[in-house]
């Protein structure tokens, strides 16, 4: 069992652990089973590995979904490759919505345009974010002139 994730080497559990913060994405029955199991016995290394893989998959799926929604909001077809300039616009818009806590699929196009116009004033570290996004682009697609949606999603995950 993996212990020591809590003070004094005890098993990692709290009343607020509530399904590892997965909220509504984790079915109630699974959340209850997880909480009961961790409270009673702690977790084995295999169980920690499975939870980690599940979280990674959930995060990846969410990023792909948000990038897909950004493609559609900017009127790009998700099945077609984008030039680097359009891919950067998708990535920038994805990141701006993320740092603002917006669900891009729920924003009217005019609101997205306003968000992008005001992002530097609203988010003081925007230039740093842009630098990180460009580094991610170079890491995923060095020297390429076009990229597909999975490439843009990988850039967003970095």
């Amino acid at each position: 069992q993996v212990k020591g994730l809590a003070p004094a080497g005890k098993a990692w559990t709290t009343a607020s652990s509530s399904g590892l913060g997965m909220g509504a994405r984790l079915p109630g029955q699974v959340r209850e089973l997880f909480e009961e199991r961790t409270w009673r016995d702690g977790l084995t290394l295999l169980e920690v590995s499975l939870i980690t893989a599940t979280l990674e998959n959930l995060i990846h799926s969410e990023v792909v979904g948000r990038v897909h929604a950004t493609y559609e909001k900017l009127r790009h077809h998700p099945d077609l490759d984008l030039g680097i300039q359009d891919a950067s616009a998708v990535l920038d818009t994805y990141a701006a919505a993320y740092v603002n806590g917006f669900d891009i699929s729920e924003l009217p196009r005019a609101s997205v345009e306003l968000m992008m116009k005001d992002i530097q004033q609203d988010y003081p570290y925007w230039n740093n974010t842009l630098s990180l996004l460009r580094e991610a682009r170079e890491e995923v697609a060095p020297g390429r002139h076009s990229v597909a949606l999975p490439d843009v999603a990988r850039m967003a995950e970095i």
Side-chain angles (χ1 to χ4, degrees):
Q1 291 184 359
V2 177
K3 300 230 181 217
L5 297 175
K10 296 181 181 174
W12 173 65
T13 60
T14 67
S16 64
S17 66
S18 182
L20 296 173
M22 289 189 271
R25 295 194 192 290
L26 191 63
Q29 186 177 14
V30 174
R31 183 176 45 252
E32 289 171 15
L33 183 63
F34 169 78
E35 289 175 355
E36 176 187 329
R37 175 75 171 89
T38 55
W39 180 258
R40 187 182 64 233
D41 301 321
L43 298 173
T44 66
L45 186 56
L46 175 61
E47 290 166 332
V48 170
S49 298
L50 290 172
I51 290 169
T52 302
T54 300
L55 288 172
E56 184 177 2
N57 186 280
L58 286 170
I59 292 167
H60 174 75
S61 296
E62 183 170 330
V63 169
V64 170
R66 288 176 184 250
V67 168
H68 188 276
T70 305
Y71 262 64
E72 291 180 341
K73 190 62 65 174
L74 298 181
R75 298 184 179 131
H76 296 299
H77 194 284
D79 294 332
L80 300 177
D81 286 2
L82 296 179
I84 290 299
Q85 187 172 6
D86 286 337
S88 292
V90 167
L91 200 55
D92 295 354
T93 304
Y94 163 88
Y98 181 85
V99 300
N100 278 296
F102 296 147
D103 180 345
I104 193 89
S105 65
E106 294 180 3
L107 290 177
R109 186 163 166 80
S111 296
V112 172
E113 291 170 0
L114 183 62
M115 173 187 71
M116 293 309 294
K117 182 176 137 314
D118 294 341
I119 188 67
Q120 287 193 323
Q121 293 88 345
D122 294 343
Y123 187 68
Y125 300 105
W126 184 244
N127 287 332
N128 297 25
T129 302
L130 289 177
S131 294
L132 290 172
L133 294 174
R134 300 307 169 254
E135 288 175 21
R137 186 185 71 206
E138 284 305 310
E139 184 176 322
V140 171
R144 293 195 15 216
H145 299 291
S146 65
V147 292
L149 188 145
D151 299 319
V152 177
R154 272 196 309 266
M155 293 172 200
E157 287 177 317
I158 290 178

